[in-house]
């Protein structure tokens, strides 16, 4: 799956977030001088199928060193940060669009919808569609003798 991506030139990745993709004002990576460029790279590329190996190679680190560095400075691995960023964007898309779960999985960098659903359900205790439906459940509260008032 990633063997194709790993053999492609690094130019396919952005070094800076583009204005139309920059949602970092909502999701904030930890501020740390040693990690700023790494997290900027993740922000610019999380919507693609990036891996720890690709991020490490882009900064001339070994994957194990990068994992140790990020964990030591933030308490989480880089992979966990990538997943958190993808989950944040997937929640935003679930709430603000009518895109299918498959399309959302693609938009947040998952090649396999099943893998996305599994990750989402592990973190949110529900698969994406159920989570979305639960966010929009309508509660009907009768008000007086008239017709019910519906609250979202």
């Amino acid at each position: 799956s990633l063997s194709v991506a790993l053999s492609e030139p690094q130019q396919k990745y952005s070094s800076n977030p583009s204005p139309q993709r920059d949602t970092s004002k909502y999701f904030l990576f930890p501020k740390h001088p040693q990690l700023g460029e790494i997290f900027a790279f993740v922000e610019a590329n999380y919507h693609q199928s990036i891996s720890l190996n690709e991020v490490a190679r882009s900064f001339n680190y070994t994957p194990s060193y990068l994992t140790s560095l990020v964990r030591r400075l933030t308490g989480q691995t880089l992979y966990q940060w990538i997943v958190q960023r993808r989950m944040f964007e997937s929640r935003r898309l679930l709430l603000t669009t009518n895109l299918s779960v498959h399309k959302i999985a693609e938009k947040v960098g998952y090649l396999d919808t099943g893998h996305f659903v599994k990750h989402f359900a592990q973190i949110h205790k529900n698969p994406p569609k159920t989570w979305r439906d639960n966010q929009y459940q309508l509660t009907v509260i009768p008000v007086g003798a008239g017709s019910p008032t519906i609250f979202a």
Side-chain angles (χ1 to χ4, degrees), residues 40-103:
F41 181 90
V42 171
E43 178 62 31
N45 297 289
Y46 74 89
H47 61 283
Q48 300 180 62
S49 180
I50 60 171
S51 71
L52 171 64
N53 288 337
E54 292 162 325
V55 178
R57 186 179 324 123
S58 295
F59 291 93
N60 295 317
Y61 291 140
T62 65
S64 62
Y65 176 78
L66 183 56
T67 296
S68 297
L69 176 68
V70 174
R71 181 183 288 140
R72 183 170 44 84
L73 297 176
T74 70
Q76 295 184 61
T77 66
L78 183 63
Y79 178 74
Q80 289 171 315
W81 284 110
I82 292 170
V83 169
Q84 281 188 38
R85 181 63 184 97
R86 288 175 171 165
M87 290 297 116
F88 183 89
E89 182 65 7
S90 65
R91 288 189 308 271
R92 189 188 71 75
L93 292 170
L94 285 164
L95 291 173
T96 62
T97 73
N98 290 321
L99 292 172
S100 69
V101 169
H102 175 75
K103 272 292 185 206

Side-chain angles (χ1 to χ4, degrees), residues 103-122:
K103 272 292 185 206
I104 289 172
E106 285 180 352
K107 285 186 167 289
V108 299
Y110 284 88
L111 297 175
D112 178 356
T113 303
H115 189 77
F116 167 69
V117 169
K118 180 181 172 186
H119 262 166
F120 194 96
Q122 285 175 339

Side-chain angles (χ1 to χ4, degrees), residues 17-38:
S18 61
Q20 68 269 22
R21 290 221 40 91
D22 187 9
T23 55
S24 61
K25 63 185 172 208
Y26 306 114
F27 182 89
L28 298 174
F29 288 101
K31 299 255 186 256
H32 195 284
Q34 280 185 274
L35 302 178
E37 288 182 30
I38 293 165

